[in-house]
């Protein structure tokens, strides 16, 4: 019951509550992008030579590429020369433990509801916190290290395990995969690196928290998760940003590699600043996420709750290469006010007996546009492949839009592919029922939306599920009645 | 001329044929219709033939069909196609008014019209001024193929059914390409207007004589006025060397009903664009399609239903069976405009692949801008139910016979929607003869 009261309270107060700016001393490089900037970023991070070359190669490719325009989103062109590509909290010395982290920074994470300290003691979730593209603290590292699990920031990984990074970086999302991935490859400043050795079941959930803090910066982080044979890991990601009038760019890349019998569960609650009620400001979230089930019986599962960002452009995909591998995609995307989301997934079936499941729930309110865009491809080689997709859209208001663009490409006769999509609004009868049981309309809508999204929310780890439910309610505040 | 796209040989040929035609016009070159044609030609040259980079042509490569050296006639050509050949094409038992076009030109001597009251038929070639208005509507939108048709379709049918008239006999439009002497390309335009409360059935059948390659371009503009009902059946069962592009634009007014059934049982390249605008409340559109392909056949069905006003409904069912190395494409788009409340739109696409070389690319699409709507779509691809097969085999049927029965059952759901009985029987017969076992 108390939880519901919480929701109600949040609903009534519900503006974007992560919109403050932390007063941390920061180091920001001048705006603009050219080869020197790429070199500067690499030098600042003291990276090995191969990394710089990789970045430069990506940058040269990016220069030749064109910004994609096929997504069902509209925004003024991004000026890539007016963004600073590196902003980091100033580091005074090497940190040995959390106690040495800038207290202002820790307060920042406290306010975000992820007290690194507390998390460390109580919940047993290992957290890597990334602020403006640079990892500031990773908890539980040493405990994980005992099992051979490597969980650290990308910069640290490059210093301490360059051979692993070199081997796996770009193996799932090549440097010049697409426009934003190429940009990311050239300028990414940090991110998380997870390596789960053979046969290890990671004992705790690994979590990364991303925050954009500085103005006029873009955030470009790169996450790489490698699950060796027979390993398991559950990885969580959260993100917020201050409220600013101008749009900020977030172009991340996440790569997941699962070898034989490995399983990776990736959950994210995306809550970047969505802009104000008039559509001013907000984050452009142009993200490439892809998993490769390289091994037999491997499994990659994406769960996402998308409530933030002015514009979302995101298609977490799974390449099902290993025989009997499994890909899953669970998504709730909520758009309100002037938000635009074009999100979905790709399931590429290559191996035999591969299976994929897509559950996508889109909720549009206000004047927002919400699109599902998905691809299911069954290659000739994918004998007995199986896919089921369910895409439902809920419309709350007559000024918003819900769109579905599924692509099914099937070249295997022994495969079974099913796709279903529905679009509707909340039935008057259901609302009436709730009302006559004593719930006001806003509560009723919150209840119904949660029910509508339940299938996806159930996939989230506990702490996230609670947060996600609240987020749903907040995002839709004011959209009813 | 503002040429920007690289010209294929066919593009150059089209331009040359147009110029040649223009020279024969003398004084008529200044008519409004010709102005439309000329601007359509410019548009075509600019757009060129669509490429897979165009989202609407993502899965459809027209390069192979535009590479051939087609004959392109700017005037009716002499042909020895006779009434007997025409009779052989007409489905048995079908009692219909017959309009025959050879290489895009109306052939009065091969056609047979029964002078039904309330039915007016003109051919575009003879009564050009009528054609000006409709051609204008389409010139601006869509792709190179439509522009090509606007420029090159010098003949076609203009059909009006007067208010309240219910036609007793269907109208059969027969499009024949004469490719005995070599490859040929043709273009024609149909303009159909059903006035208020009229009722009619149109049947279109594409055919060719000879072993050469044919490319037929047909654009139809149909207006279904208040309370009218139009049944529109398209029969496409051609050989591997026959290609066709059909663009159908339907405008529906209040309480009207339009039903399209397309049976694509063969063809080297078939592209059907069906674009329906529901402009008046209470209008309903039905779309049904069956594709049954083998060898290297290719059929692409594109539908667009534009719900522009409240209280309209649409229903769509497309089924496909693909064998050998055949490829099927389905793209169904439903748009619900901001004010089109109480829309009810349903779409379903079901496919069976019989061979590992066969491919189906399907893209059911919803674009919804109103909230009080019920819209859904479903798409599936799979095999015939193993349990059903087993049941039939346990009753003593061979695997082949069991498969044929299931295939038949799968297809019949679409064929049942054909409102003309003779046609339905004709299609079922074709279905049986195209499968190896006779049910």
């Amino acid at each position: 019951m108390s939880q519901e009261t919480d929701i109600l309270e949040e609903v009534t107060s519900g503006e974007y509550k992560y919109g403050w700016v932390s007063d941390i001393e920061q180091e920001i490089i001048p705006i603009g992008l050219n080869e020197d900037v790429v070199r500067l970023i690499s030098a600042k991070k003291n990276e090995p030579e191969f990394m710089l070359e990789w970045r430069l190669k990506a940058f040269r490719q990016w220069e030749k590429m064109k910004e994609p325009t096929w997504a069902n989103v509209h925004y003024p062109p991004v000026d890539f020369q007016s963004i600073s590509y590196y902003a980091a909290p100033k580091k005074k010395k090497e940190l040995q433990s959390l106690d040495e982290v800038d207290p202002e920074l820790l307060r920042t994470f406290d306010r975000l509801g992820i007290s690194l300290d507390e998390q460390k003691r109580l919940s047993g979730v290992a957290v890597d916190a990334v602020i403006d593209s640079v990892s500031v603290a990773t908890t539980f590292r040493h405990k994980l290290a005992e099992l051979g699990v490597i969980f650290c920031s990308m910069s640290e990984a490059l210093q301490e395990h360059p051979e692993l990074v070199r081997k796996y970086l770009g193996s799932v999302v090549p440097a010049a995969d697409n426009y934003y991935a190429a940009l990311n490859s050239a300028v990414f400043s940090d991110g998380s690196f997870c390596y789960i050795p053979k046969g290890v079941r990671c004992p705790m959930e690994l979590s990364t928290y991303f925050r954009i803090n500085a103005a006029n910066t873009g955030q470009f982080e790169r996450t790489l998760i490698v699950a060796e044979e027979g390993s398991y890991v559950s990885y969580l990601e959260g993100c917020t940003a201050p409220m600013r009038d101008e749009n900020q760019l977030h172009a991340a890349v996440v790569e997941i590699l699962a070898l034989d019998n490995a399983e990776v569960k990736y959950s994210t609650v995306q809550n970047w600043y969505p802009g104000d009620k008039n559509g001013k400001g907000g984050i452009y979230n142009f993200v490439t996420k892809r998993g490769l089930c390289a091994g037999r019986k491997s499994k990659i599962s994406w769960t996402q709750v998308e409530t933030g960002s002015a514009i979302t452009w995101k298609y977490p995909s799974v390449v099902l290469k290993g025989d009997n591998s499994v890909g899953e995609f669970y998504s709730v995307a909520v758009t309100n006010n002037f938000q635009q989301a074009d999100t979905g997934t790709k399931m590429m079936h290559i191996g035999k007996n591969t299976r994929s499941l897509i559950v996508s729930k889109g909720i549009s309110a206000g004047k927002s546009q919400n699109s599902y865009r998905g691809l299911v491809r069954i290659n000739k080689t994918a004998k007995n492949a199986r896919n089921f997709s369910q895409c439902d859209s809920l419309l709350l208001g007559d000024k918003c839009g819900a769109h579905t663009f599924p692509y099914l490409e099937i070249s295997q006769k022994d495969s079974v592919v099913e796709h279903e999509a529905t679009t509707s609004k909340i039935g008057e009868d259901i609302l009436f029922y709730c009302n006559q049981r004593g719930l006001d309309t806003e509560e009723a809508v919150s209840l119904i939306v949660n029910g509508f999204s339940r299938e996806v929310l159930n996939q989230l780890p506990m702490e996230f599920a609670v947060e996600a439910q609240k987020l749903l309610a907040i995002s839709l505040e004011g959209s009813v009645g | 001329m503002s040429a920007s796209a690289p010209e294929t040989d066919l593009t150059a040929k089209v331009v040359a044929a147009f110029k040649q035609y223009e020279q024969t016009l003398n004084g008529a070159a200044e008519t409004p219709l010709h102005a439309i044609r000329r601007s359509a030609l410019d548009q075509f040259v600019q757009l060129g033939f669509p490429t897979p980079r165009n989202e609407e042509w993502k899965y459809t490569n027209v390069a192979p069909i535009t590479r051939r050296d087609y004959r392109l006639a700017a005037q009716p050509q002499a042909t020895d196609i006779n009434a007997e050949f025409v009779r052989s094409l007409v489905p048995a038992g079908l009692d219909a008014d017959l309009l025959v076009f050879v290489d895009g030109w109306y052939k009065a001597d091969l056609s047979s019209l029964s002078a039904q009251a309330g039915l007016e038929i003109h051919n575009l070639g003879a009564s050009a001024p009528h054609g000006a208005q409709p051609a204008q509507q389409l010139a601006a939108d869509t792709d190179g193929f439509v522009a090509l048709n606007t420029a090159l379709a010098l003949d076609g049918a203009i059909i009006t059914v007067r208010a309240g008239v219910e036609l007793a006999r269907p109208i059969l439009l027969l499009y024949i390409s004469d490719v005995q002497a070599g490859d040929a390309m043709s273009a024609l335009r149909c303009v159909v207007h059903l006035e208020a409360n009229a009722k009619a059935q149109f049947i279109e059948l594409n055919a060719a004589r000879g072993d050469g390659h044919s490319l037929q371009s047909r654009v139809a503009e149909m207006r279904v006025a208040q309370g009218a009902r139009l049944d529109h059946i398209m029969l496409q069962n051609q050989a591997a060397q026959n290609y066709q592009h059909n663009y159908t634009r339907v405008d529906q007014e209040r309480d009207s009903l339009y039903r399209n059934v397309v049976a694509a049982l063969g063809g080297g390249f078939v592209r059907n664009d069906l674009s329906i605008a529901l402009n008046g409340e209470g209008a309903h559109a039905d779309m049904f399609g069956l594709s049954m392909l083998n060898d290297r056949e290719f059929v692409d069905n594109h539908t667009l239903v534009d719900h522009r006003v409240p209280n309209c409904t649409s229903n769509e069912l497309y089924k496909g069976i693909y064998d050998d190395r055949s490829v099927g494409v389905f793209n169904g788009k439903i748009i619900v405009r901001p004010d089109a409340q109480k829309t009810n739109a349903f779409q379903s696409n079901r496919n069976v692949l019989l061979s590992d070389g066969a491919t189906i690319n399907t893209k059911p699409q919803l674009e919804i801008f109103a909230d009080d709507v019920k819209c859904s779509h479903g798409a599936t691809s799979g095999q015939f139910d193993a349990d059903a097969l087993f049941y039939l085999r346990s009753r003593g049927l061979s695997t082949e016979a069991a498969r044929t029965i299931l295939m038949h059952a799968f297809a019949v759901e679409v064929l049942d929607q054909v409102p003309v009985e003779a046609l339905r029987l004709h299609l079922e017969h074709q279905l049986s003869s195209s499968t190896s076992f006779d049910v």
Side-chain angles (χ1 to χ4, degrees):
Chain A
M1 200 59 217
S2 72
Q3 190 192 315
E4 263 141 276
T5 333
D6 270 3
I7 293 175
L8 203 62
E9 258 169 41
E10 307 243 25
V11 165
T12 40
S13 66
E15 288 265 318
Y16 189 72
K17 65 168 186 170
Y18 305 102
W20 33 265
V21 183
S22 302
D23 187 18
I24 303 167
E25 240 191 301
Q26 280 185 322
E27 181 184 9
I28 300 181
I29 64 169
I31 60 167
L33 181 57
N34 52 44
E35 271 199 31
D36 292 339
V37 170
V38 176
R39 283 176 201 279
L40 182 65
I41 292 170
S42 191
K44 273 197 182 298
K45 310 192 68 70
N46 193 23
E47 287 176 350
E49 187 60 27
F50 80 88
M51 203 54 236
L52 174 63
E53 302 215 332
W54 199 77
R55 284 174 183 275
L56 288 173
K57 215 175 123 200
F59 177 73
R60 284 167 199 149
Q61 292 270 3
W62 176 76
E63 282 187 307
K64 285 183 222 147
M65 295 166 97
K66 278 206 177 87
E67 219 178 322
T69 52
W70 45 261
N72 189 25
V73 292
H74 305 280
Y75 55 92
V78 177
D79 181 1
F80 291 94
Q81 295 304 334
S82 68
I83 298 171
S84 167
Y85 288 85
Y86 186 80
K90 237 178 209 165
K91 270 188 192 172
K92 297 210 171 73
K93 56 180 167 122
E94 283 296 303
L95 303 173
Q96 289 310 311
S97 75
L98 268 182
D99 309 334
E100 296 171 44
V101 175
D102 184 343
E104 175 67 22
L105 204 60
L106 287 179
R107 267 196 296 281
T108 301
F109 284 100
D110 273 341
R111 287 174 74 180
L112 285 168
I114 44 157
S115 148
L116 299 183
D117 250 354
E118 228 168 284
Q119 295 256 358
K120 189 174 167 186
R121 256 178 266 121
L122 302 171
S123 62
V125 176
V127 177
D128 181 22
V130 176
I131 199 158
D132 286 331
S133 325
V134 172
S135 173
V136 287
T138 309
T139 57
F140 276 112
R141 249 180 96 167
H142 299 292
K143 200 170 166 206
L144 289 168
E146 283 167 26
L147 288 164
V149 174
I150 303 169
F151 178 47
C152 60
S153 71
M154 204 55 148
S155 334
E156 285 168 307
L158 271 164
Q159 303 303 325
E160 291 162 30
H161 311 280
E163 71 298 340
L164 284 178
V165 177
R166 187 172 193 164
K167 185 171 172 192
Y168 293 114
L169 190 70
S171 61
V172 183
V173 180
D177 185 75
N178 64 64
Y179 189 78
Y180 295 110
L183 177 65
N184 175 285
S185 303
V187 303
F188 78 87
S189 27
D190 213 332
S192 294
F193 176 74
C194 301
Y195 177 83
I196 320 294
K198 193 169 167 178
V200 171
R201 195 181 162 86
C202 191
M204 59 186 86
E205 275 160 343
L206 304 183
S207 166
T208 302
Y209 212 91
F210 295 105
R211 174 147 179 98
I212 297 179
N213 194 49
N216 296 321
T217 58
Q219 172 144 332
F220 307 92
E221 78 275 348
R222 191 154 187 124
T223 300
L224 175 58
I225 302 172
V226 179
E228 288 274 8
E229 268 172 56
S231 63
Y232 168 86
V233 64
S234 167
Y235 181 93
L236 323 174
E237 188 195 277
C239 33
T240 56
M243 291 205 259
R244 291 186 192 283
D245 280 350
E246 76 274 21
N247 299 105
Q248 282 181 289
L249 179 64
H250 173 247
V253 171
V254 177
E255 296 179 84
I256 301 179
L257 180 67
L259 300 176
D260 285 1
N261 298 304
E263 181 177 346
V264 178
K265 186 174 163 63
Y266 183 103
S267 316
T268 177
V269 173
Q270 187 263 103
N271 187 23
W272 295 115
Y273 177 51
D276 68 8
K277 283 195 168 119
N278 303 312
K280 203 166 163 55
I283 304 289
Y284 289 169
N285 192 29
F286 301 148
V287 178
T288 306
K289 296 188 174 192
R290 190 178 304 152
L292 172 61
C293 283
R296 280 181 59 82
K297 289 194 176 172
S298 52
K299 178 175 174 183
I300 293 175
S301 165
W302 299 100
T303 306
Q304 61 171 25
V305 175
E306 302 280 312
T307 59
S309 297
I311 295 175
T312 305
W313 183 97
K314 178 178 173 186
Y315 315 92
S317 332
V318 185
V319 180
L320 298 153
K321 195 171 159 205
D323 290 350
N324 299 57
S325 57
V326 179
E328 289 175 356
F329 174 76
Y330 298 94
S331 166
V332 177
V334 185
T335 54
N336 198 354
N337 300 323
F338 285 87
Q339 279 177 272
Q340 303 175 56
D342 192 310
T343 183
T345 184
K346 285 185 190 178
M347 293 290 174
M348 317 292 267
H349 291 256
I350 300 169
K352 291 188 188 73
N353 306 315
T354 45
R355 282 180 291 143
S356 64
L357 174 68
I358 299 171
V359 179
S360 166
K361 308 277 180 182
I363 300 158
S364 348
K367 292 181 176 159
S368 66
Q369 301 296 334
N370 199 331
S371 307
Y372 167 83
R373 187 184 300 275
L375 168 67
V376 175
R377 177 179 291 158
I378 313 277
N379 279 12
K380 230 168 255 185
T381 47
K383 216 168 166 51
N384 291 320
R386 183 79 176 86
N387 160 268
F388 178 77
S389 316
Q390 174 80 48
C391 308
D392 296 323
S393 305
L394 198 60
L395 289 155
L396 307 173
D398 56 3
K399 299 275 183 294
C400 52
H403 317 293
T404 323
F405 306 90
Y407 295 73
L408 312 177
E409 305 175 0
I410 301 138
S411 306
Q412 223 301 324
K413 75 173 161 81
D414 294 319
S415 63
V416 176
V417 175
E418 289 167 294
H419 171 95
E420 270 181 50
T422 61
T423 304
S424 57
K425 68 169 196 169
I426 295 176
E428 297 285 337
D429 49 341
I430 304 174
L431 273 182
F432 178 75
Y433 176 80
C434 292
N435 285 157
Q436 62 102 341
R437 305 299 291 179
L439 296 172
D440 69 33
T441 305
E442 199 141 270
E443 276 177 308
V445 168
S446 172
L447 187 75
I448 293 161
V449 165
N450 264 308
F452 176 76
S453 319
R454 177 57 38 108
E455 217 178 328
V456 175
L457 298 181
N458 277 348
Q459 297 296 325
L460 287 171
M462 240 282 278
E463 306 83 349
F464 257 38
V466 175
E467 189 189 336
Q469 275 190 22
K470 288 186 198 170
L471 264 178
L472 283 185
I474 297 164
S475 307
L476 293 171
E477 187 265 320
S479 63
V480 185
Chain B
M1 201 185 313
S2 49
S4 62
E7 294 184 347
T8 64
D9 284 343
L10 188 56
T11 308
K13 208 170 166 109
V14 165
V15 173
F18 188 83
K19 298 270 181 250
Q20 195 194 339
Y21 159 73
E22 219 168 25
Q23 277 163 12
T24 67
L25 283 177
N26 298 323
E30 297 311 315
T31 63
L33 178 59
H34 189 72
I36 289 167
R37 284 183 171 142
R38 197 183 301 132
S39 81
L41 184 81
D42 288 347
Q43 198 189 8
F44 166 69
V45 171
Q46 209 163 36
L47 292 167
F49 286 103
T51 67
R53 297 189 69 85
N54 179 339
E55 180 68 20
E56 298 303 322
W57 293 81
K58 184 176 160 70
Y59 298 116
T60 307
N61 185 8
V62 302
I65 70 160
T66 54
R67 249 183 239 136
R68 308 207 70 87
D69 189 22
Y70 298 107
R71 181 180 80 241
L72 191 51
Q75 274 148 24
Q77 305 285 300
T79 173
D80 55 358
I81 287 178
N82 55 25
E84 198 184 339
F85 179 74
V86 168
R87 259 198 307 281
S88 74
L89 297 172
V90 177
L94 179 68
D95 178 27
D97 279 5
L98 180 64
L99 291 166
V100 178
F101 293 83
V102 175
D103 288 338
W105 297 96
Y106 179 61
K107 293 286 173 200
D109 52 329
L110 297 174
S111 305
S112 61
L113 294 170
S114 64
Q116 301 190 66
L119 171 65
E120 286 171 22
I121 301 179
H122 301 278
N123 69 311
L124 185 63
S127 49
H130 291 272
Q133 196 73 31
Q136 205 159 18
Q137 288 177 358
L138 279 183
D141 61 342
T142 70
D143 51 50
F145 262 112
V146 176
L148 169 77
N149 183 284
T150 306
L152 282 191
L154 302 176
D155 204 351
I158 300 175
I159 302 172
T160 307
V161 183
R162 290 284 172 221
V165 171
E166 187 175 331
L167 292 188
R169 310 169 72 202
I171 295 168
L172 173 63
L173 297 143
L174 200 52
Y175 310 136
I176 306 171
S177 286
D178 188 355
V179 284
Q180 196 127 312
D183 302 348
M185 177 182 165
S186 60
L188 66 84
R189 190 104 170 183
C190 288
V191 180
V192 174
H193 183 195
L194 260 64
E195 294 185 349
N197 302 313
K199 227 170 162 183
Q201 295 174 329
F202 282 88
I203 304 158
E204 291 181 295
L205 198 157
N206 301 68
R209 192 196 50 165
D211 298 326
H213 289 73
S214 63
L215 173 58
Q216 295 180 331
S217 157
R218 188 286 267 143
V219 170
E221 295 157 65
M222 305 188 153
R223 231 176 100 205
V224 189
Q226 183 170 347
R229 175 187 173 132
L230 175 59
D231 289 303
H232 181 192
I233 300 133
M234 297 160 76
L235 305 178
Q236 301 165 344
N237 190 6
Q238 290 194 271
Q241 70 275 17
N242 303 124
Y243 313 137
Q244 54 176 303
H245 173 264
N246 300 299
Y247 182 93
T248 311
R249 167 63 194 256
V250 183
D251 277 281
Q252 286 188 247
E253 287 164 27
R254 202 185 170 87
D255 297 324
S256 63
L257 202 152
Y258 171 79
R259 167 179 295 202
N260 182 290
V261 186
V262 55
L265 305 182
F269 176 97
V270 179
R271 161 79 175 216
N272 296 313
D273 269 301
L274 175 60
S275 168
I276 300 176
L278 299 167
N279 299 316
E281 289 194 32
H284 176 78
D286 270 327
M287 290 144 278
F288 298 99
L290 174 67
S291 302
M292 245 181 94
L293 307 181
N294 55 16
D295 295 335
R296 285 171 171 268
E297 291 174 337
F298 176 88
V299 171
D300 175 354
N301 276 310
H302 260 62
T303 67
L304 167 66
V305 186
D306 190 353
H307 284 263
R308 294 181 171 181
V309 293
N311 293 310
C312 289
T313 50
S314 65
N315 177 36
E316 199 168 344
L317 172 67
Y318 279 77
K319 291 187 140 190
I321 302 175
Y322 305 96
D323 203 353
D324 302 330
R325 295 176 60 83
S326 62
V327 177
V329 177
F330 173 76
N331 188 323
K333 196 190 280 189
I334 297 172
I335 299 178
V336 180
R337 304 267 168 187
D339 297 325
Q341 301 292 3
K342 307 278 178 199
T343 286
N344 212 328
F346 180 75
Q347 183 189 75
S348 176
N349 175 233
R350 310 199 172 282
N351 303 286
V352 173
L353 297 183
L354 297 179
S355 144
D356 277 348
T359 297
I360 169 71
N361 296 312
T362 170
K363 189 178 159 214
Q365 227 174 302
L366 298 174
E367 291 188 42
I368 295 165
F369 296 92
D371 65 334
D372 192 3
V373 299
K374 280 205 184 85
C375 295
S376 63
H377 68 213
T380 60
S381 164
Q383 314 74 51
F384 289 122
D385 183 4
D387 290 344
L389 267 178
F390 177 78
Y391 172 77
L392 291 170
R393 294 215 53 205
S394 76
R395 308 299 291 177
L397 292 167
S398 69
T399 309
E400 205 183 347
R403 266 181 193 287
T404 308
I405 287 175
L406 290 179
M407 205 185 289
H408 200 261
F410 181 83
V412 134
E413 198 183 348
V414 171
L415 298 187
D416 274 350
Q417 305 300 330
V418 176
V420 183
E421 202 194 346
L423 271 191
R424 196 165 53 237
L425 294 174
H426 168 76
L427 283 168
E428 283 187 21
H429 177 72
Q430 280 193 328
L431 194 68
S432 305
S433 57
S434 69
T435 54
S436 42
F437 182 85
D438 198 18
V439 186

